[in-house]
Amino acid sequence: MKLIIDTDPGVDDAMAIIYAALAPDIELLGLTTVFGNVNIEQATRNALWLLEFIGQDAAVAKGAAMTLEGKTIAPSYNVHGDEGFGEYPAQKPKHSALEETAAEFLCRMAREHKGELVVCPIGPITNIAHAIQLDPEFATNVKKIVFMGGAAKVPGNITPHAEANTYHDPHALNIVINSGANVTMVGLDVTMLEPCQEEFFDNLAEVSPKFGGFLQEISRFYLKFYESIGVQGCGFHDPAAVIACTHPELFSTEQLPINVIEEGEEFGQTQICLEDEAPKISVCIDADMAQVKAIYNRVFGVDA
Ligand code: RIB
Ligand code: CA
């Protein structure tokens, strides 16, 4: 599967990117970066360094620094750390991002791999909305868009109503949902089904000292944040979205009409709307998370 991950790395973004680079059934064509967990400069630096760390020769295209409507959002440093990887110090990559913007790269890749490219946004979905506005054929050139975000039948995580990625650019998500693309939502309904405990990262580190060891180190800060809000274990958000791209059979979905609320108390909520004309997307409402995690572990060498 030809894949581009749109990312705001980010601890669970790093979990997803390392998995995608190691997975034998994924051809990672590149990363596009976006504001969110960190600012755009940090997101782009982290993406470039991570691919070098993994030894993965894939492009990085820098994307949006702010929302589609030009609003600047404060990074979630309290969740992912001041540099995006917990307390792991900022790293200086050797390579630079492409000259192309994220939206230009996405549109070109979708044209060059028409009907084959899967796009997996795991941050605010701003770059994808830009690509849809840049190229009217983008939405139908891509095979599917599988995004991490939203909360259909469960509470939010950044507010009681909204999940963080959708809260950070609800207008962009409405554009993607209404674009005519084949869209799957991997939200908190499934990514919080089985939070990852410390032992999950210990096991990764034991069999994969370099990659697992890195994830074990950067997960400490992330686990502490969840503990501070009374949750034992951390969300398996971004890696679940990547695995939903290649193993959709592990996810139970409903075709639901989703509208993202763009004002008021429920700002950022992915609301199941009752107007018939609202476009329906595939919403993950359950998943075999034990099997999803077994597939994740397998690429690091951890037996199920
Ligand atoms: O709500 C979880 C999502 O927000 C994840 O993608 C996490 O990395 C943050 O971007
Ligand atoms: Ca993310």
Side-chain angles (χ1 to χ4, degrees):
M1 174 176 284
K2 295 185 187 302
L3 184 70
I4 290 177
I5 297 175
D6 185 69
T7 176
D8 58 338
V11 174
D12 61 323
D13 300 69
M15 291 173 70
I17 293 165
I18 294 177
Y19 171 82
L22 298 178
D25 53 354
I26 291 176
E27 181 187 356
L28 186 61
L29 297 184
L31 301 178
T32 49
T33 58
V34 65
F35 72 91
N37 292 329
V38 289
N39 67 41
I40 187 60
E41 301 307 331
Q42 293 169 314
T44 308
R45 178 203 67 200
N46 288 351
L48 284 163
W49 177 80
L50 204 48
L51 292 177
E52 292 170 6
F53 174 67
I54 304 164
Q56 173 80 18
D57 181 20
V60 172
K62 182 177 175 184
M66 56 188 75
T67 70
L68 201 63
E69 294 173 310
K71 205 170 126 200
T72 299
I73 300 289
S76 311
Y77 293 135
N78 62 315
V79 184
H80 294 264
D82 290 346
E83 299 297 342
F85 290 155
E87 289 167 328
Y88 199 82
Q91 302 297 307
K92 193 163 171 31
K94 296 183 182 66
H95 300 85
S96 305
L98 298 176
E99 285 303 309
E100 276 175 310
T101 65
E104 290 164 345
F105 177 67
L106 284 161
C107 289
R108 178 168 65 88
M109 288 291 106
R111 275 195 306 275
E112 291 179 8
H113 304 283
K114 194 179 172 78
E116 287 184 278
L117 176 66
V118 174
V119 176
C120 185
I122 56 175
I125 206 161
T126 314
N127 291 331
I128 315 312
H130 276 305
I132 290 164
Q133 293 178 335
L134 184 65
D135 178 354
E137 293 181 352
F138 173 76
T140 45
N141 281 345
V142 293
K143 182 176 182 183
K144 59 182 176 181
I145 297 168
V146 181
F147 75 95
M148 191 283 135
K153 302 184 178 184
V154 296
N157 57 2
I158 196 166
T159 75
H161 309 286
E163 176 279 326
N165 288 336
T166 58
Y167 183 79
H168 285 149
D169 203 339
H171 184 58
L173 183 52
N174 273 326
I175 286 176
V176 175
I177 290 171
N178 289 279
S179 67
N182 174 357
V183 177
T184 298
M185 174 173 132
V186 184
L188 301 180
D189 307 81
V190 293
T191 67
M192 284 306 289
L193 278 175
E194 286 182 26
C196 276
Q197 305 306 315
E198 198 174 337
E199 294 71 29
F200 179 85
F201 297 98
D202 295 344
N203 293 338
L204 290 179
E206 197 178 322
V207 292
S208 168
K210 179 176 180 184
F211 302 135
F214 171 70
L215 293 177
Q216 181 191 44
E217 189 167 344
I218 70 172
S219 67
R220 289 196 184 97
F221 186 93
Y222 196 46
L223 285 161
K224 276 201 199 100
F225 164 75
Y226 275 89
E227 197 178 350
S228 73
I229 59 169
V231 176
Q232 193 61 41
C234 61
F236 194 68
H237 305 299
D238 296 344
V242 171
I243 293 174
C245 295
T246 51
H247 297 79
E249 70 282 0
L250 297 180
F251 295 77
S252 307
T253 59
E254 285 180 13
Q255 289 298 317
L256 295 172
I258 295 288
N259 175 50
V260 195
I261 305 303
E262 298 189 32
E263 58 190 2
E265 165 73 19
E266 294 160 346
F267 182 90
Q269 188 179 54
T270 44
Q271 220 165 63
I272 301 171
C273 57
L274 303 177
E275 296 87 67
D276 289 344
E277 71 282 358
K280 292 186 175 157
I281 62 171
S282 288
V283 177
C284 296
I285 44 127
D286 199 356
D288 178 351
M289 288 312 282
Q291 188 53 25
V292 169
K293 286 184 177 176
I295 288 168
Y296 186 86
N297 279 325
R298 208 171 298 143
V299 299
F300 289 84
V302 174
D303 294 333

